[in-house]
Amino acid sequence: MKKGKVQKLALLLMALLLPVLRAAAQAANEPEMADALRQSGKIYVVVAVIAVVLAGLLAFLITLDRKISRLEKEVRD
Amino acid sequence: MKNNWWKALAVVLLLYVAVAGLLLPVPRLAILNESIRNLYFHVPMWFGMTAVLSASVYYSVRYLRTPTPRLDILSHEAAKTGICMGFVGLATGSIWAKYTWGAWWTNDPKLNGAAIAMLIYGAYLVLRSSFQDEQQRARISAIYNIFAFAAAMPLFFILPRLTASLHPGAGGNPAFAKYDLDSNMRLVFYPAVIGWTLLGFWLAQLASRVAFLKQKVYDKQLA
């Protein structure tokens, strides 16, 4: 009887632990992504910098567009 | 401002692409890893180039029907913008190739096809600059532009599909089937294509307007 109990406990432990181990092994086999960068939140710094650079360049383009419009008006007159 | 809504759209889409392109989830694929996000920047260059070069051919055809300096300028500036986007496409593709295929350049039909097509367009610029007479320059470069487009498009999009190739979208398989099935990527990829294409048209329009102004000022000085 006692042996049966131990066996049952071992089975229960295995049932609980094996899926976890399997998941861990799977994660190791999965292609590597920049998960750490995302977890630490530093990715937002990169995104913010790129967004500011792009916004600055686009703002420059808009002012250039306006300047050309003004020149067109002047030349027309 | 009424006619400039598409420029505002370009600004919004490009800013969205820069943020969402880095933050939204992508499929976890071996070798590509995070570099799959290049799809939002490398591929739209070619889409934009094709659209702008199509506009250039449209103006070339119109020029041959009714020769005006205006149509020649529009065609030329659109071609220059398209060529610029094409070279950016080649450069970005080369960087991507280095870190996924292991070489800056491979003798792949898709890559060599694109390179030959860009050389054909490079010849357009050389041809244009070799004329003194303005009308002759405009007419002959319009004709060459039509031929260049007809030769370049099969090199970009048809011939590479007939043979095996490393590049997605060649060797019979459309590029979208493999990666883009992911609906998360579509959320960024389609806006990216529209945004970068609109930016191409915007740059071509600005360049054309400067060329119009230059011409007007010259005409006034001569008068």
Side-chain angles (χ1 to χ4, degrees):
Chain A
M1 268 321 247
K2 234 184 181 179
K3 204 179 171 192
K5 229 182 181 177
V6 172
Q7 265 179 341
K8 264 187 194 166
L9 204 74
L11 272 173
L12 184 70
L13 261 175
M14 269 159 77
L16 285 173
L17 280 178
L18 280 179
V20 177
L21 283 174
R22 199 169 152 260
Q26 244 179 3
N29 284 335
E30 254 189 23
E32 194 184 325
M33 303 297 262
D35 294 318
L37 186 66
R38 270 154 228 291
Q39 255 163 11
S40 68
K42 291 288 197 296
I43 184 74
Y44 297 110
V45 182
V46 180
V47 170
V49 167
I50 292 176
V52 168
V53 168
L54 192 63
L57 288 176
L58 288 172
F60 179 77
L61 200 61
I62 291 166
T63 53
L64 190 66
D65 197 311
R66 283 195 178 157
K67 272 181 195 164
I68 293 172
S69 298
R70 221 171 297 142
L71 258 179
E72 279 168 342
K73 238 181 221 167
E74 267 180 45
V75 171
R76 211 176 295 145
D77 298 336
Chain B
M1 220 45 217
K2 226 188 267 172
N3 297 322
N4 286 336
W5 60 270
W6 58 278
K7 292 172 185 170
L9 182 66
V11 170
V12 170
L13 286 179
L14 288 177
L15 286 172
Y16 163 76
V17 167
V19 175
L22 290 172
L23 291 182
L24 285 193
V26 292
R28 305 175 80 94
L29 297 175
I31 301 171
L32 275 173
N33 307 98
E34 294 277 359
S35 85
I36 195 170
R37 293 176 195 276
N38 279 351
L39 190 84
Y40 308 141
F41 302 96
H42 165 71
V43 182
M45 287 301 123
W46 298 106
F47 275 79
M49 179 207 72
T50 307
V52 175
L53 288 182
S54 305
S56 173
V57 166
Y58 168 74
Y59 287 124
S60 279
V61 172
R62 276 189 57 194
Y63 175 84
L64 292 175
R65 293 172 69 90
T66 48
T68 63
R70 188 189 150 77
L71 288 169
D72 177 52
I73 286 172
L74 282 168
S75 159
H76 177 217
E77 298 300 337
K80 276 200 290 190
T81 311
I83 290 165
C84 176
M85 290 181 98
F87 275 110
V88 171
L90 278 186
T92 52
S94 182
I95 297 168
W96 202 359
K98 175 66 184 167
Y99 293 99
T100 47
W101 301 339
W104 296 106
W105 195 267
T106 60
N107 271 327
D108 192 273
K110 182 90 172 175
L111 274 62
N112 284 343
I116 295 166
M118 291 320 295
L119 287 177
I120 290 171
Y121 268 103
Y124 167 82
L125 297 178
V126 175
L127 179 77
R128 239 197 114 81
S129 62
S130 62
F131 289 105
Q132 287 287 324
D133 183 62
E134 276 165 32
Q135 285 186 4
Q136 198 182 23
R137 173 173 63 210
R139 193 173 66 249
I140 293 175
S141 48
I143 294 164
Y144 181 82
N145 190 24
I146 295 166
F147 275 108
F149 187 78
M153 286 304 130
L155 281 167
F156 280 126
F157 300 115
I158 299 171
L159 292 182
R161 292 198 179 198
L162 302 179
T163 54
S165 168
L166 271 175
H167 194 286
N173 55 329
F176 303 101
K178 223 172 177 178
Y179 313 116
D180 230 38
L181 270 181
D182 190 75
S183 52
N184 278 322
M185 291 199 77
R186 284 203 173 126
L187 276 178
V188 185
F189 179 68
Y190 294 145
V193 166
I194 297 168
W196 289 108
T197 303
L198 288 177
L199 185 75
F201 277 106
W202 190 357
L203 293 174
Q205 192 219 43
L206 284 188
S208 303
R209 283 163 65 192
V210 170
F212 294 151
L213 278 173
K214 208 170 145 190
Q215 200 199 14
K216 254 185 196 167
V217 170
Y218 279 155
D219 288 350
K220 269 193 181 168
Q221 278 172 345
L222 286 175

